[in-house]
Amino acid sequence: MNTSPETLGPELLERLPATVQRPAYDRAALQPGMAHLGVGAFHRCHQAEYTDDLLALQFDRWGIVGINIRPPHLAETLGRQSGLYTRLIRENDHVEARVIGSIVKVVDSQDSAGPALDVLSSPDIELVTMTVTEKGYCHIPSSGELDLGHPDIVHDLANPETPRSVPGILTRALELRQATHGQPLTLLSCDNIQTNGVILETVVRTFAERRGNGLAEWIAANAAFPSAMVDRIAPAVTQDDLDSVEQWFGYHDGAVAVGEPFRQWVIEKKFAGRMPRWDLVGATFVDDVTPFEHLKMRVLNGAQTTLATLGVLAGLEHTSDAVADPLLSVFVRRMLVEETLPTLMPVPGMEPLAYVEQSLGRLKNTAIRHRNHQIATDGSQKIVQRLLNPIRDRLDQGASVRLLSVPVAGWMAYLIQASECFGKLWPVSDPYAGKVAAIADATGRDAPALAAAILAIETIFDPGLAANAAFREAVTSALGELLSGDPMAAVRHSLEQDEVARLKRSKQSAL
Ligand code: CS2
């Protein structure tokens, strides 16, 4: 008879296979102390794991209440398992399994903000971390300001007590805290956005200022918005991952998370109340996260976005396939070493070249099935910090941006080819997908006209950058080739041109 396997839960903890580690503390004694918004694969592989490590070392009341305000629902997976889940660390053939116990409760707040507000306004909660994706902040990517024209923001300003956006919900929660117990709150963004704390503070403050009643002043005095650099590659979980746990360990887990061995968390030391001592378990508290952010976003994430969009255009499925491609691998290393590294500030304790090699090594991990389409999702929200900011710095230095311009054109080509006019080659998800498709449908296959129209989107390309002749020329010529029958010609040619320029430079310096 075929009986279905037992589902992970507290009763199973004592009977887990010896190869699966279990929480090294008494979960039953844990109290909710912090909340997390956006319980996806990344949170389960990162902040929840650091917290699990901390609980094993120094028991405190830092149990996590996990909240989702967008799909998926948590009740049927994590909820059913009392917050427990299996976190797999995978590297090629190596697998390490551990059940994480730091999430003590989950709350679904997709239908209305009420359940999320109850948690976030509770005096038990001293800290809220969040991974709500780049677009969750409803900010304008090129300026970092709250997008007052965003439909959810328009809705929330008109209906502040029933908000649906992240800025609206957080502002309302702070307002409820002010009106009831007055306890301070730390709001720690763990999204991969440059100056994420500043952006979060800006969108909340802008929202609060419009509410009036001294709320913005109360927030300024009682809330803290530290910035943080977060890192671990943890792709969207697949049915295969769930099946593997069942097959290897004999139990069912609907909330498995899979990540690579590497992890990093650098947090600005700016808390409104008590601070979980994540620094005792590998995180770093610093006064300024900027150099760490630049390094990670421009090198690791820059490489990922480059390999993702160019990888899709080359017909490759995962990051590990793209980085294994000889041409793309030479290209991405050259781009990072020659054009990206000179834009970085010194980072304490890190050697930039070694970081490039380490990053490319991480991307080769074949057990991490990170789909190029997943990384290309929301590219409009990612390219500013990953590609455009280093490009601007290079242009300020009077240096070439030939290589960095290719993935910018890659992002354009990725969205353009999803348009009707280009035969809808693949489905895409990006807040600017509709705009780019409309441009493509109106413009047709004229690469210079396409590039000009997309570069004119000021919320992504600031006008000063878009007007730069060298950048425009490099993007336009790469785009023409990426849209041709031989897309990788763009990559080959940019490398050849770069080589010629290098030879010229070395001849000149020899004279
Ligand atoms: C990826 C990131 O999907 C993406 O945009 O580039 O999620 C990346 O894997 C993480 O930032 C790694 O820390």
Side-chain angles (χ1 to χ4, degrees):
M1 207 177 72
N2 207 356
T3 53
S4 46
E6 194 174 347
T7 297
L8 178 64
E11 353 24 85
L12 195 68
L13 279 185
E14 294 311 312
R15 290 180 284 117
L16 286 174
T19 44
V20 182
Q21 290 176 57
R22 69 205 69 201
Y25 50 89
D26 177 14
R27 277 190 91 226
L30 215 48
Q31 295 291 316
M34 63 176 111
H36 182 83
L37 266 190
V39 185
F42 186 71
H43 172 64
R44 301 205 297 277
C45 269
H46 194 270
Q47 304 92 48
E49 181 193 287
Y50 275 95
T51 304
D52 198 66
D53 287 345
L54 180 58
L55 290 168
L57 195 74
Q58 188 185 76
F59 197 80
D60 210 331
R61 54 174 306 225
W62 293 112
I64 302 169
V65 182
I67 307 171
N68 270 9
I69 57 166
R70 303 275 180 266
H73 279 74
L74 297 167
E76 279 311 302
T77 53
L78 270 181
R80 201 172 150 215
Q81 299 172 188
S82 302
L84 293 169
Y85 63 95
T86 315
R87 185 243 40 198
L88 301 179
I89 293 300
R90 302 199 57 182
E91 186 172 31
N92 303 321
D93 294 336
H94 174 78
V95 180
E96 183 204 301
R98 164 167 154 197
V99 169
I100 304 283
S102 53
I103 299 182
V104 291
K105 190 177 160 195
V106 291
V107 170
D108 280 311
S109 197
Q110 294 87 350
D111 298 338
S112 86
L117 290 172
D118 288 347
V119 176
L120 296 171
S121 62
S122 151
D124 293 339
I125 299 299
E126 298 181 49
L127 175 97
V128 51
T129 55
M130 68 203 74
T131 46
V132 293
T133 79
E134 289 86 346
K135 61 180 179 233
Y137 293 81
C138 306
H139 66 296
I140 298 170
S142 61
S143 69
E145 298 297 328
L146 179 65
D147 180 358
L148 291 165
H150 191 297
D152 287 350
I153 297 299
V154 172
H155 169 273
D156 291 0
L157 284 169
N159 307 278
E161 287 171 24
T162 53
R164 52 189 187 206
S165 70
V166 172
I169 291 174
L170 293 175
T171 310
R172 177 65 182 154
L174 288 161
E175 187 172 34
L176 291 169
R177 294 178 80 90
Q178 177 196 19
T180 51
H181 50 78
Q183 293 298 314
L185 186 70
T186 300
L187 298 97
L188 172 57
S189 167
C190 298
D191 278 291
N192 201 36
I193 310 174
Q194 201 169 305
T195 61
N196 50 12
V198 177
I199 290 185
L200 180 61
E201 182 169 12
T202 305
V203 296
V204 169
R205 186 186 9 92
T206 310
F207 200 99
E209 279 163 357
R210 278 167 174 71
R211 294 284 294 135
N213 288 334
L215 178 60
E217 292 71 21
W218 186 85
I219 293 175
N222 293 284
F225 301 83
S227 285
M229 182 272 251
V230 291
D231 195 3
R232 175 168 260 171
I233 299 175
V237 177
T238 63
Q239 186 60 42
D240 261 9
D241 298 321
L242 309 192
D243 293 346
S244 301
V245 165
E246 206 162 303
Q247 204 184 322
W248 294 334
F249 309 119
Y251 60 85
H252 171 77
D253 180 347
V256 175
V258 183
E260 58 165 346
F262 183 94
R263 70 171 192 180
Q264 195 176 13
W265 197 4
V266 183
I267 307 166
E268 185 184 4
K269 200 170 179 181
K270 187 169 91 176
F271 284 69
R274 290 193 310 146
M275 181 173 86
R277 294 295 311 273
W278 288 307
D279 56 320
L280 299 176
V281 292
T284 314
F285 288 134
V286 296
D287 291 331
D288 182 12
V289 299
T290 316
F292 297 92
E293 283 177 342
H294 284 198
L295 179 70
K296 190 256 171 166
M297 290 173 186
R298 296 180 181 194
V299 174
L300 178 87
N301 293 146
Q304 287 178 302
T305 289
T306 302
L307 292 166
T309 47
L310 300 179
V312 169
L313 299 175
L316 301 165
E317 175 80 7
H318 299 105
T319 309
S320 55
D321 304 320
V323 79
D325 177 88
L327 179 65
L328 288 180
S329 131
V330 166
F331 176 81
V332 78
R333 177 179 277 104
R334 179 94 62 89
M335 178 189 92
L336 295 175
V337 171
E338 285 200 14
E339 295 192 1
T340 306
L341 288 193
T343 71
L344 298 174
M345 324 172 183
V347 182
M350 285 198 217
E351 209 280 298
L353 263 182
Y355 186 83
V356 168
E357 289 313 321
Q358 182 190 43
S359 300
L360 294 175
R362 289 167 60 192
L363 300 179
K364 288 184 187 149
N365 184 346
T366 52
I368 295 295
R369 316 285 289 161
H370 210 176
R371 294 186 66 240
N372 288 326
H373 279 294
Q374 188 192 341
I375 298 168
T377 295
D378 294 340
S380 60
Q381 315 288 299
K382 299 174 180 173
I383 60 167
V384 174
Q385 65 211 17
R386 297 179 185 201
L387 302 168
L388 302 183
N389 287 346
I391 286 176
R392 190 182 303 101
D393 289 351
R394 291 282 291 170
L395 293 171
D396 288 347
Q397 296 163 1
S400 166
V401 294
R402 190 173 289 117
L403 302 176
L404 279 166
S405 300
V406 177
V408 175
W411 166 74
M412 293 180 178
Y414 176 75
L415 288 188
I416 289 171
Q417 303 210 55
S419 69
E420 196 80 51
C421 165
F422 281 76
K424 287 192 171 178
L425 292 194
W426 38 71
V428 292
S429 171
D430 187 307
Y432 284 81
K435 193 166 186 117
V436 173
I439 290 174
D441 292 336
T443 311
R445 293 178 169 266
D446 176 353
L450 282 166
I454 299 173
L455 287 169
I457 305 176
E458 291 189 8
T459 41
I460 302 176
F461 298 96
D462 86 59
L465 174 65
N468 183 283
F471 173 58
R472 291 183 79 85
E473 201 280 313
V475 168
T476 307
S477 86
L479 183 61
E481 289 181 310
L482 289 172
L483 294 175
S484 75
D486 177 15
M488 290 305 106
V491 179
R492 284 197 306 275
H493 287 155
S494 66
L495 283 173
E496 282 159 17
Q497 288 166 353
D498 179 66
E499 195 58 43
V500 171
R502 269 212 297 182
L503 285 174
K504 236 194 224 160
R505 277 200 307 272
S506 64
K507 267 195 197 144
Q508 272 164 358
S509 62
L511 284 177

